[in-house]
mmCIF file of all heavy atoms in Angstrom:
data_model
loop_
_atom_site.group_PDB
_atom_site.id
_atom_site.type_symbol
_atom_site.label_atom_id
_atom_site.label_comp_id
_atom_site.label_asym_id
_atom_site.label_seq_id
_atom_site.Cartn_x
_atom_site.Cartn_y
_atom_site.Cartn_z
ATOM 1 N N MET A 485 -7.822 -14.813 -144.304
ATOM 2 C CA MET A 485 -6.426 -15.012 -144.684
ATOM 3 C C MET A 485 -6.242 -16.240 -145.565
ATOM 4 O O MET A 485 -5.234 -16.393 -146.256
ATOM 5 C CB MET A 485 -5.542 -15.136 -143.446
ATOM 6 C CG MET A 485 -5.530 -13.887 -142.568
ATOM 7 S SD MET A 485 -6.987 -13.737 -141.488
ATOM 8 C CE MET A 485 -6.593 -14.869 -140.167
ATOM 9 N N GLY A 486 -7.254 -17.135 -145.542
ATOM 10 C CA GLY A 486 -7.188 -18.345 -146.367
ATOM 11 C C GLY A 486 -7.240 -18.062 -147.853
ATOM 12 O O GLY A 486 -6.955 -18.951 -148.656
ATOM 13 N N LEU A 487 -7.592 -16.839 -148.241
ATOM 14 C CA LEU A 487 -7.528 -16.480 -149.663
ATOM 15 C C LEU A 487 -6.079 -16.326 -150.109
ATOM 16 O O LEU A 487 -5.793 -16.296 -151.315
ATOM 17 C CB LEU A 487 -8.287 -15.193 -149.920
ATOM 18 C CG LEU A 487 -9.784 -15.185 -149.577
ATOM 19 C CD1 LEU A 487 -10.389 -13.840 -149.901
ATOM 20 C CD2 LEU A 487 -10.498 -16.306 -150.308
ATOM 21 N N PHE A 488 -5.165 -16.183 -149.157
ATOM 22 C CA PHE A 488 -3.748 -16.006 -149.443
ATOM 23 C C PHE A 488 -2.947 -17.289 -149.158
ATOM 24 O O PHE A 488 -2.119 -17.678 -149.969
ATOM 25 C CB PHE A 488 -3.178 -14.864 -148.598
ATOM 26 C CG PHE A 488 -3.744 -13.522 -148.922
ATOM 27 C CD1 PHE A 488 -5.016 -13.157 -148.507
ATOM 28 C CD2 PHE A 488 -3.018 -12.606 -149.669
ATOM 29 C CE1 PHE A 488 -5.546 -11.909 -148.810
ATOM 30 C CE2 PHE A 488 -3.534 -11.354 -149.985
ATOM 31 C CZ PHE A 488 -4.807 -11.010 -149.561
ATOM 32 N N ARG A 489 -3.182 -17.886 -148.012
ATOM 33 C CA ARG A 489 -2.466 -19.114 -147.646
ATOM 34 C C ARG A 489 -3.259 -19.847 -146.574
ATOM 35 O O ARG A 489 -4.024 -19.242 -145.828
ATOM 36 C CB ARG A 489 -1.064 -18.810 -147.152
ATOM 37 C CG ARG A 489 -1.024 -18.033 -145.826
ATOM 38 C CD ARG A 489 0.393 -17.814 -145.328
ATOM 39 N NE ARG A 489 0.379 -17.216 -143.990
ATOM 40 C CZ ARG A 489 1.471 -16.957 -143.275
ATOM 41 N NH1 ARG A 489 2.677 -17.221 -143.779
ATOM 42 N NH2 ARG A 489 1.369 -16.433 -142.063
ATOM 43 N N LEU A 490 -3.071 -21.177 -146.523
ATOM 44 C CA LEU A 490 -3.700 -21.994 -145.501
ATOM 45 C C LEU A 490 -2.659 -22.948 -144.930
ATOM 46 O O LEU A 490 -1.752 -23.399 -145.624
ATOM 47 C CB LEU A 490 -4.866 -22.801 -146.089
ATOM 48 C CG LEU A 490 -6.189 -22.049 -146.323
ATOM 49 C CD1 LEU A 490 -7.166 -22.933 -147.090
ATOM 50 C CD2 LEU A 490 -6.791 -21.588 -145.014
ATOM 51 N N TRP A 491 -2.835 -23.244 -143.646
ATOM 52 C CA TRP A 491 -1.952 -24.172 -142.956
ATOM 53 C C TRP A 491 -2.487 -25.587 -143.192
ATOM 54 O O TRP A 491 -3.554 -25.951 -142.739
ATOM 55 C CB TRP A 491 -1.926 -23.850 -141.472
ATOM 56 C CG TRP A 491 -0.994 -24.680 -140.635
ATOM 57 C CD1 TRP A 491 -1.337 -25.689 -139.780
ATOM 58 C CD2 TRP A 491 0.428 -24.557 -140.521
ATOM 59 N NE1 TRP A 491 -0.219 -26.209 -139.155
ATOM 60 C CE2 TRP A 491 0.877 -25.530 -139.609
ATOM 61 C CE3 TRP A 491 1.361 -23.720 -141.135
ATOM 62 C CZ2 TRP A 491 2.220 -25.683 -139.265
ATOM 63 C CZ3 TRP A 491 2.704 -23.871 -140.800
ATOM 64 C CH2 TRP A 491 3.126 -24.837 -139.884
ATOM 65 N N TRP A 492 -1.732 -26.390 -143.970
ATOM 66 C CA TRP A 492 -2.131 -27.764 -144.272
ATOM 67 C C TRP A 492 -1.470 -28.713 -143.274
ATOM 68 O O TRP A 492 -0.256 -28.668 -143.073
ATOM 69 C CB TRP A 492 -1.682 -28.157 -145.687
ATOM 70 C CG TRP A 492 -2.448 -27.495 -146.794
ATOM 71 C CD1 TRP A 492 -3.157 -26.334 -146.758
ATOM 72 C CD2 TRP A 492 -2.553 -27.973 -148.141
ATOM 73 N NE1 TRP A 492 -3.708 -26.059 -147.992
ATOM 74 C CE2 TRP A 492 -3.355 -27.038 -148.857
ATOM 75 C CE3 TRP A 492 -2.055 -29.089 -148.809
ATOM 76 C CZ2 TRP A 492 -3.648 -27.205 -150.213
ATOM 77 C CZ3 TRP A 492 -2.355 -29.246 -150.170
ATOM 78 C CH2 TRP A 492 -3.148 -28.325 -150.850
ATOM 79 N N VAL A 493 -2.281 -29.589 -142.686
ATOM 80 C CA VAL A 493 -1.781 -30.597 -141.748
ATOM 81 C C VAL A 493 -1.988 -31.970 -142.350
ATOM 82 O O VAL A 493 -3.130 -32.373 -142.602
ATOM 83 C CB VAL A 493 -2.527 -30.492 -140.401
ATOM 84 C CG1 VAL A 493 -1.979 -31.522 -139.418
ATOM 85 C CG2 VAL A 493 -2.435 -29.080 -139.817
ATOM 86 N N PRO A 494 -0.908 -32.711 -142.606
ATOM 87 C CA PRO A 494 -1.064 -34.063 -143.146
ATOM 88 C C PRO A 494 -1.831 -34.969 -142.175
ATOM 89 O O PRO A 494 -1.664 -34.878 -140.964
ATOM 90 C CB PRO A 494 0.381 -34.560 -143.321
ATOM 91 C CG PRO A 494 1.198 -33.302 -143.430
ATOM 92 C CD PRO A 494 0.503 -32.321 -142.522
ATOM 93 N N GLU A 495 -2.682 -35.831 -142.735
ATOM 94 C CA GLU A 495 -3.494 -36.719 -141.923
ATOM 95 C C GLU A 495 -2.637 -37.587 -141.024
ATOM 96 O O GLU A 495 -1.612 -38.138 -141.441
ATOM 97 C CB GLU A 495 -4.344 -37.601 -142.846
ATOM 98 C CG GLU A 495 -5.344 -38.487 -142.131
ATOM 99 C CD GLU A 495 -6.212 -39.263 -143.108
ATOM 100 O OE1 GLU A 495 -6.273 -38.863 -144.293
ATOM 101 O OE2 GLU A 495 -6.808 -40.269 -142.697
ATOM 102 N N GLY A 496 -3.047 -37.678 -139.759
ATOM 103 C CA GLY A 496 -2.318 -38.505 -138.793
ATOM 104 C C GLY A 496 -1.182 -37.800 -138.082
ATOM 105 O O GLY A 496 -0.520 -38.415 -137.233
ATOM 106 N N ARG A 497 -0.957 -36.540 -138.417
ATOM 107 C CA ARG A 497 0.130 -35.796 -137.781
ATOM 108 C C ARG A 497 -0.428 -34.656 -136.945
ATOM 109 O O ARG A 497 -1.512 -34.142 -137.236
ATOM 110 C CB ARG A 497 1.094 -35.227 -138.835
ATOM 111 C CG ARG A 497 1.759 -36.313 -139.636
ATOM 112 C CD ARG A 497 2.836 -35.766 -140.521
ATOM 113 N NE ARG A 497 3.395 -36.824 -141.368
ATOM 114 C CZ ARG A 497 4.379 -36.669 -142.218
ATOM 115 N NH1 ARG A 497 4.926 -35.459 -142.361
ATOM 116 N NH2 ARG A 497 4.816 -37.659 -142.945
ATOM 117 N N PRO A 498 0.301 -34.242 -135.924
ATOM 118 C CA PRO A 498 -0.174 -33.117 -135.117
ATOM 119 C C PRO A 498 -0.098 -31.818 -135.913
ATOM 120 O O PRO A 498 0.668 -31.719 -136.878
ATOM 121 C CB PRO A 498 0.795 -33.102 -133.924
ATOM 122 C CG PRO A 498 2.058 -33.725 -134.459
ATOM 123 C CD PRO A 498 1.593 -34.769 -135.440
ATOM 124 N N PRO A 499 -0.892 -30.820 -135.526
ATOM 125 C CA PRO A 499 -0.879 -29.557 -136.266
ATOM 126 C C PRO A 499 0.458 -28.830 -136.221
ATOM 127 O O PRO A 499 0.697 -27.936 -137.034
ATOM 128 C CB PRO A 499 -1.990 -28.735 -135.615
ATOM 129 C CG PRO A 499 -2.279 -29.408 -134.307
ATOM 130 C CD PRO A 499 -1.922 -30.837 -134.472
#
Side-chain angles (χ1 to χ4, degrees):
M485 298 80 79
L487 300 181
F488 294 77
R489 66 177 187 178
L490 282 172
W491 184 256
W492 289 22
V493 181
E495 186 176 342
R497 298 188 184 182

